[in-house]
Amino acid sequence: CVKAMSGAYQTNRKENAHEDSVWSVLWTNDDKIVTGSIDETVKVWTPKTETSSVPKLEEASTFTGHFLGVVSLSASADGRLCACSSLDGRLRIWNLDEKSLVKLIDPGPVEAWTVAVHPQGQLVAAGSQTGSVNVFGVGAQGDKPEAVLTPHNKFIMSVAYSPDGRLLASGAMDGAVHVMDAVSGNLIRKLEGHSKPVRSLSFSPDSKVLLTGCEDMTVIMHDVSQASGTVATLTGHDSWVLSVAHSPAGGECVSGSSDKRVRVWDLGQRQCVFTSKEHTDQVWSVDYNASGSKFVSASDDGSVMCGVQVTG
């Protein structure tokens, strides 16, 4: 890896953030960090920067009842609502501001693995182990989805809405990536490049580029507006890529891997500009803050790490 032109990153890792593996983390647009763990809890943290430019995490609240552990988290664009999927197959939608459960959805044992909240917060998409994407209305009654999309016939490992709310992407166990119209559900594009499970999806802020993180150890940049699709492949991880997040600021992304590393990539140069070796076990999840100046990562080691770019 080469150093970023604008400097390196400083990191701060909070050990024992949870009592077990932390499988999911997100950084809301209103500056809350949310983590989900196999210890069956979701925690909300306040990133404090009084004493250092690198945030230190202060626990703000804990949500319990996610039986068998939390698989996936996703928040609305305003940071108010957070959807959580658990190993028990249920979805829970929390109001982070009011610290209250908005909705509990029990669609069946294999119908909700990973979740994505529509930017406006009214819909939650869940990828299933049977190959469908179930779309639930936050304000709807009962456990039945409002729509069932069937782009795959394989276990869907990842789902993501585009920031403009128009696209819904899904990544499957067999490496297939489908981009659908979020309103009609119609298939717009099938993206090529992977043949192993696609663990993570993240759109660029302009909704034109989709990043896919895969067990083949790569992150692929796809131009979703073009039929040709693949723009570039980012290589450097030594094991599965478990999570990828596109910077809201544009030209950068962060990835987390089974190789215990967090890597920051310059998308224009197509190269790694920073590698963190702080985690002692596989890194399940990464995300950026709203401005793209900081990232957060979560690991099997039970810790949560924040990183901030140091200019100078």
Side-chain angles (χ1 to χ4, degrees):
C1 267
V2 298
K3 273 196 171 183
M5 294 301 290
S6 52
Y9 279 75
Q10 283 188 330
T11 58
N12 181 43
R13 189 167 71 100
K14 183 172 184 64
E15 295 189 40
N16 305 311
H18 284 270
E19 294 175 7
D20 206 331
S21 301
V22 189
W23 275 14
S24 190
V25 65
L26 60 84
W27 201 323
T28 66
N29 286 339
D30 60 350
D31 208 32
K32 296 185 287 277
I33 290 174
V34 188
T35 54
S37 170
I38 300 304
D39 69 7
E40 303 188 347
T41 68
V42 169
K43 292 185 178 182
V44 181
W45 308 84
T46 304
K48 297 281 189 179
T49 53
E50 283 93 354
T51 57
S52 168
S53 61
V54 187
K56 292 186 176 180
L57 300 187
E58 184 178 281
E59 191 173 330
S61 51
T62 300
F63 301 100
T64 58
H66 305 85
F67 300 112
L68 305 178
V70 177
V71 175
S72 162
L73 299 170
S74 179
S76 56
D78 61 9
R80 193 173 61 90
L81 296 180
C82 179
C84 315
S85 63
S86 306
L87 286 169
D88 64 4
R90 294 182 176 94
L91 295 175
R92 289 166 178 82
I93 301 169
W94 297 96
N95 184 313
L96 298 181
D97 295 338
E98 297 176 4
K99 302 178 183 178
S100 61
L101 183 66
V102 176
K103 189 175 178 65
L104 171 63
I105 304 169
D106 188 0
V110 296
E111 294 304 320
W113 181 248
T114 53
V115 290
V117 176
H118 189 279
Q120 294 174 4
Q122 80 277 28
L123 298 171
V124 177
S128 79
Q129 295 179 38
T130 56
S132 62
V133 177
N134 298 310
V135 181
F136 300 92
V138 174
Q141 298 295 313
D143 298 321
K144 290 194 180 302
E146 292 195 356
V148 178
L149 313 179
T150 53
H152 305 271
N153 57 6
K154 300 288 185 182
F155 189 155
I156 293 182
M157 308 291 290
S158 49
V159 286
Y161 279 106
S162 59
D164 64 10
R166 294 169 142 185
L167 304 175
L168 175 59
S170 61
M173 181 79 85
D174 61 357
V177 177
H178 291 85
V179 179
M180 296 161 282
D181 184 300
V183 177
S184 68
N186 292 335
L187 180 65
I188 296 174
R189 211 166 302 302
K190 182 179 179 182
L191 303 176
E192 307 289 343
H194 297 298
S195 58
K196 293 186 177 181
V198 176
R199 290 276 184 169
S200 184
L201 303 167
S202 182
F203 279 94
S204 59
D206 64 5
S207 301
K208 292 180 179 177
V209 173
L210 178 65
L211 301 177
T212 56
C214 181
E215 288 186 12
D216 63 11
M217 305 189 288
T218 71
V219 174
I220 294 182
M221 297 170 61
H222 304 270
D223 182 345
V224 295
S225 66
Q226 301 292 329
S228 55
T230 302
V231 176
T233 301
L234 307 177
T235 58
H237 278 296
D238 296 321
S239 188
W240 300 355
V241 176
L242 297 174
S243 184
V244 63
H246 199 298
S247 169
E252 190 179 276
C253 76
V254 61
S255 59
S257 167
S258 295
D259 66 8
K260 310 176 190 177
R261 305 291 189 257
V262 175
R263 291 179 181 266
V264 177
W265 307 82
D266 181 317
L267 296 178
Q269 299 292 325
R270 319 303 204 230
Q271 64 182 0
C272 176
V273 293
F274 174 76
T275 302
S276 166
K277 302 177 182 179
E278 300 281 315
H279 285 297
T280 59
D281 209 333
Q282 54 190 359
V283 181
W284 276 105
S285 188
V286 292
D287 200 13
Y288 278 99
N289 69 336
S291 68
S293 62
K294 301 166 188 167
F295 69 79
V296 64
S297 59
S299 169
D300 256 347
D301 63 16
S303 75
V304 178
M305 182 179 74
C306 291
V308 60
Q309 194 169 26
V310 183
T311 56

